[in-house]
Amino acid sequence: MSFNLQLIWDSLPLLLAGALVTIEITALAVGIGFFIGLCVGIARLSNIKPLKYLAIIYADTIRGTPLLVQIFLIYFALPLLIHQQINPFTAAVIACSINSGAYVSEIFRAGIQGIDAGQMEAARSLGLTWWQGMRLIILPQAFGKILPPLGNEFIAMLKDTSLVSVIGFEELTRRGQLIIAKTYGSFEIWTTVAIIYLIMTVSITQLVAFLERRNTIHDKR
Ligand code: ARG
């Protein structure tokens, strides 16, 4: 077997463009997922029973079904219901955001539960409402604690976006498949694709480590 370096060189612009799309979908999914997760995580801890149960059903249903099936449901099944075609980009962002939201909600729940209950009691005894206590006292502390699992979610999502290649959306993995279909360079292209993913995930790890360091310096003051 010969290793065709020229093929890698020639394919690099296309693959890097695909990587950019991968980053775009991941950032959108984790960004939207963050807000879904925050709301659902708080809903799950609230005393309002219907909200709590809705949050539980959402998180358990999404975490209990494969992302791949969720992508198929949104891209192929949902259009039959709403009588409107959904483009692959929108379907990918919707599926990944809803999915990420479920995982992030559990991260938030754990983070909030990890804060001593006395903090909320102190906040309430100072005259703050439950919501003010959550926003001003609990969440800022919880946020520092959930940075590492949020970083994990970011990395997991970045890799899992490769699943949207199945609906023909041209992110990094799909670009790789298309180039191989033309050039038969499986070895060169899959190796390059893997390395590009690795560079992206290691960069996120570094970014999270940096944020964590900044956070602990802040804590010590
Ligand atoms: N691989 C799992 C699945 O198929 C998880 C996918 C979503 N991952 C994530 N970090 N949100 O459901």
Side-chain angles (χ1 to χ4, degrees):
M1 194 191 74
S2 66
F3 194 81
N4 188 347
L5 263 184
Q6 186 62 40
L7 173 61
I8 295 183
W9 187 245
D10 293 341
S11 315
L12 218 47
L14 272 178
L15 290 177
L16 290 179
L20 214 62
V21 179
T22 290
I23 293 175
E24 208 178 309
I25 292 217
T26 309
L28 277 171
V30 177
I32 300 171
F34 182 88
F35 282 105
I36 299 178
L38 176 61
C39 299
V40 175
I42 292 176
R44 185 154 182 173
L45 293 173
S46 86
N47 290 328
I48 307 166
K49 285 268 150 52
L51 262 187
K52 188 188 179 89
Y53 290 124
L54 272 178
I56 293 177
I57 292 169
Y58 163 72
D60 288 358
T61 310
I62 297 297
R63 288 184 310 142
T65 50
L67 176 56
L68 183 61
V69 175
Q70 292 161 12
I71 292 169
F72 284 144
L73 271 172
I74 288 176
Y75 188 63
F76 294 114
L78 188 61
L80 300 178
L81 199 72
I82 60 173
H83 301 290
Q84 199 180 332
Q85 193 56 43
I86 301 177
N87 70 48
F89 179 80
T90 313
V93 171
I94 294 177
C96 293
S97 307
I98 292 178
N99 188 283
S100 195
Y103 285 89
V104 174
S105 76
E106 284 296 277
I107 296 176
F108 266 109
R109 181 171 70 96
I112 294 170
Q113 279 180 329
I115 303 297
D116 195 294
Q119 298 274 334
M120 182 57 102
E121 286 160 14
R124 297 303 300 271
S125 71
L126 286 173
L128 301 189
T129 62
W130 183 87
W131 178 239
Q132 283 173 325
M134 192 50 105
R135 198 163 49 90
L136 301 171
I137 311 290
I138 307 292
L139 283 179
Q141 296 183 71
F143 195 70
K145 292 203 196 308
I146 64 174
L147 259 178
L150 271 185
N152 270 344
E153 168 61 19
F154 206 140
I155 290 174
M157 201 67 243
L158 188 126
K159 295 182 295 168
D160 287 332
T161 55
S162 60
L163 288 170
V164 303
S165 61
V166 294
I167 54 172
F169 184 67
E170 288 190 32
E171 37 64 77
L172 179 55
T173 298
R174 180 77 185 148
R175 288 277 166 103
Q177 284 176 326
L178 292 174
I179 295 170
I180 291 165
K182 272 203 212 124
T183 62
Y184 300 108
S186 286
F187 192 78
E188 292 88 341
I189 299 300
W190 285 134
T191 312
T192 312
V193 167
I195 293 173
I196 297 177
Y197 272 114
L198 187 62
I199 292 173
M200 293 194 285
T201 51
V202 170
S203 311
I204 298 176
T205 313
Q206 297 298 327
L207 179 71
V208 174
F210 166 76
L211 289 177
E212 256 180 77
R213 270 200 308 277
R214 224 185 50 169
N215 201 48
T216 41
I217 292 172
H218 194 75
D219 263 1
K220 278 187 198 131
R221 258 187 290 166

